[in-house]
């Protein structure tokens, strides 16, 4: 797919669409992303990156498919014919999901929907292969033999047969497909290699010694990269965390929320948010940034529902019914939703827009929270329907949103910095190696040339 475009039923699946998605995404201010997981490592693949399963699954995902269709809806150049690429990503995403079930509630059942996804995928792949056999498409426009036959077809068909066999012969209600792998073995040998350090000649005695040590002392960090994932059910937890250390040396930061509430007490006014204030009629397309802020505000509203609990007046101030999905900024939410997304109140959305605007200006500052609060103090008073809990909810909203955005912003910045640091290390090692070679060369020349001539040479 990276080297050659693939074709199915006369439609082309192109890597250029994924590249354009990343290029368009990085143009947004404040490191806002339609596809936040998509990075430069996904686009410019090194030799080792081509073997990383995580990068492949993040590219062939619903998030990328939604991002392609989202930008196509805005008539942006490079996305005119991206539907086949989006469909290709969705096909593999559904197949990956069916083959990665880890909980009983979502296990692979013979009569379930997940069992139909691999079956339909095999039919789709057989139809695609028939076009290649009939000479309608070139060999480069189809999957490689190792991928089509030894990889996908064997894995999917064996999973379906195993699930059917366990159900008919052993009365298994479901199959946890995510458990049928060798991740635990890979993780174990990864820990052994990590504990051994720089050892290019491992031996059986070394392995036995490390195994005995790990049996009594196993608090080692697993490898950060690889083709295996770590489950959240690990019982190992650190005795002290970074947040504990921060609270010890910076106890005044625990009062940030109270200080923020005291500041907001001046600018918050009680005001009812009527239906007419919420519904807007704008028949032009909303900006891309507005759609992203709408999506983030919906996520924030879901968290506020847990925070407000049984306060009905407070809930109505930031959550509305499904009718508001007709709003233009809701394009991305409507595209991503599976029934669990929340549509925020437009008044609450406008408030978050002010916070995001201030965050975009001060995101590189160490005191971003103080700057955002100062900017909000300069604008007109903030209205909120509930006079009792207004300060508390608005303060919690600002704190949560700023932390969420700072995590996303810092993640993207760290990726850029890590890439630059790796390049610096490569240059340093290259220069050091060349210096060593030059010194050895001088020593050899010194032994050959007479001393008087050598000094003249230098």
């Amino acid at each position: 797919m990276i080297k050659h475009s693939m074709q199915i039923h006369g439609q082309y699946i192109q890597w250029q669409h994924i590249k354009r998605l990343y290029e368009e995404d990085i143009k947004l201010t404040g490191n806002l992303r339609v596809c936040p997981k998509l990075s430069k490592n996904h686009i410019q693949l090194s030799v080792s990156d081509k073997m990383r399963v995580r990068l492949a699954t993040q590219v062939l995902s619903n998030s990328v498919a939604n991002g392609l269709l989202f930008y196509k809806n805005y008539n942006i150049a490079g996305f005119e014919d991206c539907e086949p690429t989006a469909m290709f990503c969705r096909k593999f995403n559904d197949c990956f999901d069916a083959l990665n079930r880890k909980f009983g509630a979502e296990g692979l059942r013979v009569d379930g929907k997940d069992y139909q996804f691999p079956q339909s995928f095999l039919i789709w792949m057989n139809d695609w292969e028939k076009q290649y056999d009939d000479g309608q498409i070139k060999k480069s426009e189809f999957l490689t033999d190792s991928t089509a036959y030894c990889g996908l077809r064997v894995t999917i068909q064996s999973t379906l047969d195993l699930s059917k066999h366990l159900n008919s012969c052993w009365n298994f209600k479901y199959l946890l497909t995510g458990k049928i792998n060798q991740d635990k073995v890979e993780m174990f040998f990864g820990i052994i290699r990590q504990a051994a350090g720089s050892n290019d000649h491992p031996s059986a005695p070394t392995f036995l010694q490390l195994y005995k040590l790990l049996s009594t002392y196993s608090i080692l960090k697993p490898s950060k990269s690889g083709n295996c994932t770590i489950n959240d059910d690990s019982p190992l937890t650190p005795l002290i965390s970074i947040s504990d250390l921060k609270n010890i040396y910076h106890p005044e930061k625990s009062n940030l929320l109270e200080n923020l509430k005291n500041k907001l007490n001046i600018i918050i006014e009680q005001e009812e948010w009527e239906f007419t204030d919420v519904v807007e009629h704008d028949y032009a397309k909303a900006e891309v940034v507005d759609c992203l802020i709408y999506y983030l505000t919906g996520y924030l509203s879901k968290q506020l529902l847990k925070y407000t609990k049984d306060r009905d007046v407070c809930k109505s101030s930031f959550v509305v019914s499904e009718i508001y999905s007709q709003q233009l900024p809701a394009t991305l939410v409507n595209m991503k939703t599976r029934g669990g997304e929340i549509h925020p109140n437009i008044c609450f959305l406008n408030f978050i827009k002010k916070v995001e605007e201030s965050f975009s200006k001060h995101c590189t500052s160490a005191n971003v929270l103080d700057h955002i609060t100062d900017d909000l103090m300069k604008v007109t008073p903030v209205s909120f329907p509930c006079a009792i809990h207004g300060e508390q909810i608005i303060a919690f909203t600002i704190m949560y949103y700023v932390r969420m955005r700072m995590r996303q912003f810092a993640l993207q910045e760290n990726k850029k910095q890590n890439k630059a640091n790796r390049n610096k290390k490569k240059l340093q090692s290259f220069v050091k190696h060349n210096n060593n070679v030059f010194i050895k060369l001088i020593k050899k020349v010194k032994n050959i040339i007479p001393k008087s001539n050598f000094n003249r040479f230098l």
Side-chain angles (χ1 to χ4, degrees), residues 39-297:
S39 65
K40 196 173 183 178
N41 293 334
H42 295 82
I43 307 302
Q44 298 178 0
L45 296 170
S46 63
V47 177
S48 59
D49 287 341
K50 292 179 181 179
M51 299 298 294
R52 296 178 66 180
V53 176
R54 179 176 62 86
L55 297 181
T57 54
Q58 287 174 349
V59 170
L60 301 175
S61 63
N62 273 336
S63 177
V64 170
N66 291 331
L68 291 171
L69 297 177
F70 176 76
Y71 280 115
K72 181 185 182 302
N73 189 41
Y74 280 80
N75 298 323
I76 296 176
F79 296 93
E80 296 86 0
D81 53 348
C82 68
E83 292 97 334
T85 308
M87 183 272 295
F88 185 81
C89 293
R90 288 193 194 278
K91 282 280 186 184
F92 275 87
N93 177 83
D94 294 340
C95 186
F96 289 158
D97 287 346
L99 298 177
N100 194 35
R101 297 305 186 188
K102 299 179 181 179
F103 306 103
E106 57 181 19
L108 187 68
R109 291 174 169 79
V110 176
D111 56 348
K113 187 177 180 181
D114 275 349
Y115 194 84
Q116 298 173 2
F117 279 136
Q119 287 180 323
S120 62
F121 188 89
L122 282 178
I123 296 172
W124 172 74
M125 199 165 68
N126 291 335
D127 184 32
W128 191 8
E129 184 183 6
K130 188 175 183 300
Q131 296 180 47
Y132 167 62
D133 294 336
D134 295 342
Q136 298 178 13
I137 60 176
K138 303 176 184 177
K139 186 176 182 179
S140 61
E141 296 175 337
F142 183 62
L143 299 172
T144 60
D145 293 340
S146 59
T147 303
Y149 300 104
C150 302
L152 285 172
R153 196 182 301 278
V154 173
T155 301
I156 295 173
Q157 190 61 55
S158 59
T159 302
L160 294 174
D161 293 342
L162 179 61
S163 178
K164 192 174 181 180
H165 172 75
L166 292 175
N167 177 260
S168 59
C169 298
W170 303 96
N171 198 25
F172 273 48
K173 294 182 180 179
Y174 55 84
L175 175 65
L176 298 181
T177 52
K179 304 292 184 179
I180 310 175
N181 54 51
Q182 57 185 19
D183 284 1
K184 295 297 181 181
V185 178
E186 292 181 10
M187 288 171 58
F188 172 71
F189 281 102
I191 293 174
I192 291 290
R193 290 183 62 187
Q194 183 182 9
S198 180
N199 185 3
D200 296 332
H201 303 285
S203 60
T206 305
F207 172 81
L208 291 175
Q209 182 184 9
L210 291 172
Y211 179 72
K212 291 177 182 178
L213 289 173
L214 292 174
S215 299
T216 56
Y217 183 78
S218 60
I219 308 179
L220 286 175
K221 293 176 66 177
S223 57
K224 294 183 179 180
S225 61
N227 294 337
C228 55
T229 56
I230 303 166
N231 294 331
D232 295 333
D233 56 356
S234 175
L236 302 176
T237 54
L239 298 178
I240 188 167
S241 62
I242 298 298
S243 59
D244 296 332
L245 295 174
K246 288 181 178 179
N247 290 333
I248 292 172
Y249 292 102
H250 302 284
E252 69 278 359
K253 288 190 176 181
S254 60
N255 298 322
L256 280 175
L257 187 61
E258 291 298 327
N259 296 335
L260 184 58
K261 285 195 288 185
N262 294 333
K263 288 184 179 181
L264 292 173
N265 185 31
I266 305 173
I267 60 172
I268 294 178
E269 293 183 351
Q270 181 181 4
E271 182 181 339
E272 294 293 333
W273 288 351
E274 300 293 339
F275 182 85
T276 53
D277 296 331
V278 177
V279 177
E280 297 177 354
H281 299 283
D282 184 6
Y283 297 99
K285 286 184 178 179
E287 294 291 334
V288 174
V289 174
D290 291 340
C291 294
L292 288 171
I293 296 175
Y294 189 97
Y295 180 79
L296 292 175
T297 308

Side-chain angles (χ1 to χ4, degrees), residues 377-396:
M377 296 282 289
K378 297 175 184 178
V379 300
T380 55
V382 179
S383 62
F384 195 79
C386 181
I388 302 175
H389 307 110
E391 304 167 12
Q392 188 176 4
I393 291 178
I394 294 296
F396 177 83

Side-chain angles (χ1 to χ4, degrees), residues 352-369:
I352 296 298
K353 283 183 180 180
K354 295 176 184 177
V355 178
E356 174 62 32
E357 182 181 353
S358 179
F359 176 84
S360 299
K361 291 190 296 184
H362 307 295
C363 56
T364 56
S365 172
N367 301 318
V368 59
L369 185 62

